[in-house]
Amino acid sequence: MNTPRMARLAAAMMVALAFGAQAEEVKKPSQPEINYQAGTSPLATEPMYQSSNPKAPPMTQAEFDKARKIYFERCAGCHGVLRKGATGKPLTPDITLSKGTDYLKVFIAYGSPAGMPNWMTSGEMSEADVDLMARYIQQDPPTPPEFGMEQMKSTWKVIVPPDKRPTKKLNNYNISNIFSTTLRDSGEVALIDGDTKQIINIIKTGYAVHISRLSASGRYLFVIGRDAKINMIDLWMEKPDNVAEIRVGLEARSVDTSKYKGYEDKLAIAGSYWPPQYTIMRGDTLEPLKIVSTRGMTVDKQEYHPEPRVASIVASHFKPEFVVNVKETGKTLLVDYSDINALKTTEIGTARFLHDGGLDSTHRYFMVAANQSNKIAAVDLKEGKLAALIDVGKIPHPGRGANFIHAKYGPVWSTGHLGDDSISLIGTDPVHHKAQAWKVVETIKSQGGGSLFIKSHPKSTHLYVDNPLNPDPAISHTVAVYDIKNLAKGFTVLPIADWTGIKDGGAMRVVQPEYNKAGDEVWFSVWSAKDKQSAIVVVDDKTLKLKAVIKDPRLITPTGHFNVFNTQNDIY
């Protein structure tokens, strides 16, 4: 009998039990879930003050700095910036000190049935790293610096003032069919001509641009990086490029602009992960005008949360309102921007851990995923109230979702899932299909878990589902396609990664189907490592045959991409 090994396993179980993760009651999360939640944070490079807790094991400043960097690269996504807990459990000293270093080392090294990765046995951390992190989480959590108006204005640059910009379009591009593609690891976006498939420009942005959004007019493209840097790009320029930029925090995910009639292109808004707040800016220069904190009480336990991150933001078409989703408190805020000096906000309690989502086909209802609650909230933007909370599969991740007409149930909005192989179809027509409204009318099976994006188009008869975080390359390298007129026949698999012809592309994860303006092509990113060749694959939507492969050494880690017309008009 290997006594030391048995002792370690026994200790691991004790730690798991101590953290409330009983193996017989909690199903271990899938690898796609772990891959998704353990993402790095830009806060890893931010200096933070080391407070001295006399009860905590000693750490040198160098050890503290190294452990802080590891924590924000590996752990903050689950346990939170302040270690108060998010999708992972709290790791504050009032909990960790009583466990002690030895117990914590085993927990970190071997993981738990509740989803804690086995950092040492997986090879991600050394034994010394495990010891370091066990001591670190017994220290008082360091707080990143705040980021207010003074800090924002110090980063704000108007590269081309509005009065120096073109008064008419100076290029021959079909702007409405341009694609904005995130080049994740190079901190850039590629503007690609959807007609010719040629790269128009590679533009420097923030790190790992999360989304691209269009002004109501379709002239200005706004992108936001995970480092909270926003770039404003003028598509009328002879060669479209940056005209303004700003940082609105230290970590962020969302940006949008005013869409309501009379307010087109007037304002922009961005939401931050840290500090937890949103910022309203001028739509032509990104000048920051108003910062609003989102710290407050949770929707379920009604307890204070110091770190409620701003997830998705969309602009209402029914009122002069921004729809701001606050992750940890589980609240959807309808922010009336008609007078930002007398800001009015409607607070709608939905469900905790709000993430991404999109509008239904009428643009009246916003469908947002509360991913760790396994729910979709339908918010009525006309009436300003919650229409329904709908139970779906495990960890819904719709992107913007997909709208189409179901042969039996009428208009539906759909989502895939990170945690299981289901696709939930939700009825969205309370007028002509009242019995099906706000219910999962059908659940279909996909290739597997690890789905990030699902997509259809009003002119298409197909539904596309990716699975880039699935650990099986046969799944992550391909995409599933459904005939929306005959969902019962299952899916067709398209070998997207194979179609690139790349022989040594590494992971080659296929991610984010996106239609062109006409709705007859679907574009996919084939996302390889930074030192490997990546590509974009274009599929003919009618025949499901390969139409084009875009290869260029400048296409470094392409991930999300957004067609100008479809994004401008919320078509998905």
Side-chain angles (χ1 to χ4, degrees):
M1 178 182 291
N2 188 334
T3 304
R5 181 174 181 275
M6 293 299 292
R8 288 196 298 269
L9 291 174
M13 182 58 70
M14 290 176 67
V15 174
L17 291 171
F19 276 73
Q22 298 184 34
E24 67 272 18
E25 295 178 0
V26 182
K27 184 179 178 182
K28 185 175 177 65
S30 64
Q31 192 60 45
E33 296 171 62
I34 294 171
N35 291 345
Y36 177 73
Q37 298 293 354
T40 185
S41 165
L43 294 172
T45 59
E46 290 295 325
M48 297 178 201
Y49 172 70
Q50 178 185 2
S51 67
S52 55
N53 187 326
K55 297 181 180 180
M59 296 189 80
T60 67
Q61 184 66 49
E63 286 179 323
F64 175 85
D65 290 341
K66 180 180 179 182
R68 176 187 54 76
K69 187 173 188 293
I70 292 173
Y71 180 82
F72 283 100
E73 287 179 342
R74 306 282 180 84
C75 316
C78 284
H79 298 287
V81 168
L82 303 178
R83 305 211 309 259
K84 295 285 188 179
T87 54
K89 295 185 178 298
L91 295 175
T92 45
D94 59 311
I95 297 170
T96 56
L97 280 169
S98 64
K99 308 305 175 191
T101 301
D102 289 339
Y103 278 125
L104 294 172
K105 284 168 64 175
V106 173
F107 183 74
I108 295 166
Y110 295 95
S112 81
M116 176 73 172
N118 52 325
W119 290 111
M120 189 177 77
T121 55
S122 68
E124 295 288 330
M125 289 186 189
S126 67
E127 188 173 351
D129 288 339
V130 169
D131 175 75
L132 186 70
M133 297 310 295
R135 288 183 287 133
Y136 174 78
I137 61 174
Q138 295 175 74
Q139 313 291 323
D140 293 336
T143 302
E146 297 295 318
F147 207 89
M149 188 62 74
E150 181 181 356
Q151 290 79 14
M152 287 187 197
K153 285 197 171 180
S154 71
T155 71
W156 173 47
K157 297 178 183 177
V158 180
I159 301 163
V160 183
D163 61 354
K164 301 295 184 183
R165 296 175 195 165
T167 56
K168 61 180 181 180
K169 188 165 79 79
L170 298 182
N171 59 61
N172 294 320
Y173 299 117
N174 177 8
I175 285 178
S176 60
N177 200 35
I178 287 176
F179 286 76
S180 173
T181 298
T182 296
L183 305 181
R184 185 185 186 278
D185 292 343
S186 65
E188 299 169 319
V189 294
L191 299 186
I192 305 176
D193 187 331
D195 293 348
T196 66
K197 315 297 188 289
Q198 298 298 308
I199 294 175
I200 296 168
N201 199 9
I202 302 289
I203 299 175
K204 295 300 294 184
T205 61
Y207 168 71
V209 162
H210 194 66
I211 56 171
S212 298
R213 289 292 183 262
L214 272 298
S215 64
S217 67
R219 173 177 180 173
Y220 292 111
L221 174 72
F222 297 79
V223 301
I224 187 165
R226 290 193 175 209
D227 57 1
K229 183 178 181 181
I230 303 172
N231 290 81
M232 180 180 178
I233 299 164
D234 187 354
L235 299 177
W236 278 15
M237 295 170 68
E238 186 174 357
K239 187 175 185 180
D241 210 335
N242 287 318
V243 293
E245 64 180 41
I246 192 173
R247 283 191 76 184
V248 292
L250 300 176
E251 184 171 4
R253 296 293 188 276
S254 52
V255 68
D256 211 334
T257 67
S258 51
K259 301 281 178 66
Y260 188 67
K261 186 177 181 180
Y263 294 89
E264 298 96 327
D265 295 23
K266 299 293 186 184
L267 296 170
I269 184 173
S272 302
Y273 267 26
W274 188 271
Q277 61 194 28
Y278 62 86
T279 304
I280 298 175
M281 299 155 283
R282 283 175 56 101
D284 58 351
T285 64
L286 296 181
E287 178 185 1
L289 303 173
K290 186 92 170 179
I291 305 170
V292 181
S293 173
T294 53
R295 293 177 170 106
M297 313 305 285
T298 62
V299 71
D300 48 4
K301 296 182 180 180
Q302 295 290 292
E303 60 186 15
Y304 179 74
H305 200 294
E307 192 192 334
R309 298 172 286 183
V310 178
S312 52
I313 296 177
V314 298
S316 172
H317 295 263
F318 282 84
K319 298 177 183 178
E321 290 179 337
F322 292 123
V323 185
V324 178
N325 294 280
V326 187
K327 201 177 188 82
E328 276 71 24
T329 51
K331 295 176 181 178
T332 297
L333 310 178
L334 306 183
V335 180
D336 183 339
Y337 55 73
S338 59
D339 183 354
I340 65 169
N341 293 314
L343 207 63
K344 301 179 184 70
T345 302
T346 300
E347 180 184 291
I348 300 172
T350 46
R352 291 190 68 186
F353 307 111
L354 296 174
H355 192 59
D356 56 355
L359 298 168
D360 81 309
S361 59
T362 68
H363 295 168
R364 174 172 173 171
Y365 300 95
F366 182 62
M367 313 291 288
V368 59
N371 53 20
Q372 290 295 325
S373 297
N374 302 328
K375 296 179 186 295
I376 297 292
V379 180
D380 185 340
L381 303 185
K382 183 177 180 180
E383 297 296 329
K385 64 182 182 180
L386 180 68
L389 275 177
I390 306 130
D391 291 320
V392 291
K394 189 173 183 182
I395 311 184
H397 194 288
R400 289 166 288 175
N403 292 299
F404 62 92
I405 305 299
H406 192 283
K408 182 177 180 181
Y409 301 114
V412 297
W413 178 91
S414 49
T415 181
H417 299 84
L418 272 161
D420 64 32
D421 63 0
S422 69
I423 299 168
S424 297
L425 311 183
I426 299 169
T428 59
D429 181 7
V431 177
H432 301 104
H433 297 81
K434 187 175 181 179
Q436 287 78 40
W438 319 130
K439 297 176 182 176
V440 175
V441 295
E442 186 173 354
T443 300
I444 58 179
K445 189 172 182 178
S446 72
Q447 293 196 82
S451 175
L452 290 182
F453 298 101
I454 186 168
K455 193 61 63 74
S456 190
H457 190 279
K459 296 180 181 178
S460 174
T461 60
H462 292 127
L463 175 70
Y464 294 82
V465 182
D466 69 15
N467 297 91
L469 296 186
N470 195 288
D472 183 353
I475 296 176
S476 63
H477 288 193
T478 62
V479 68
V481 190
Y482 301 79
D483 180 352
I484 59 179
K485 294 182 178 179
N486 186 9
L487 294 169
K489 75 176 183 181
F491 53 81
T492 299
V493 176
L494 302 185
I496 302 295
D498 287 349
W499 282 346
T500 66
I502 298 171
K503 301 301 181 184
D504 183 26
M508 296 183 70
R509 290 165 286 192
V510 175
V511 62
Q512 193 156 352
E514 178 76 345
Y515 281 83
N516 63 345
K517 177 184 178 181
D520 58 11
E521 293 178 354
V522 187
W523 292 41
F524 300 88
S525 288
V526 180
W527 170 22
S528 298
K530 188 175 183 178
D531 60 347
K532 301 286 186 181
Q533 186 177 15
S534 294
I536 293 171
V537 170
V538 182
V539 173
D540 186 309
D541 181 61
K542 304 298 183 193
T543 65
L544 302 183
K545 302 295 185 183
L546 175 65
K547 189 167 185 178
V549 177
I550 304 171
K551 295 181 186 178
D552 190 293
R554 296 173 293 171
L555 291 177
I556 299 169
T557 58
T559 52
H561 43 204
F562 301 85
N563 175 267
V564 165
F565 182 83
N566 294 334
T567 304
Q568 174 192 357
N569 294 284
D570 292 305
I571 296 172
Y572 32 83

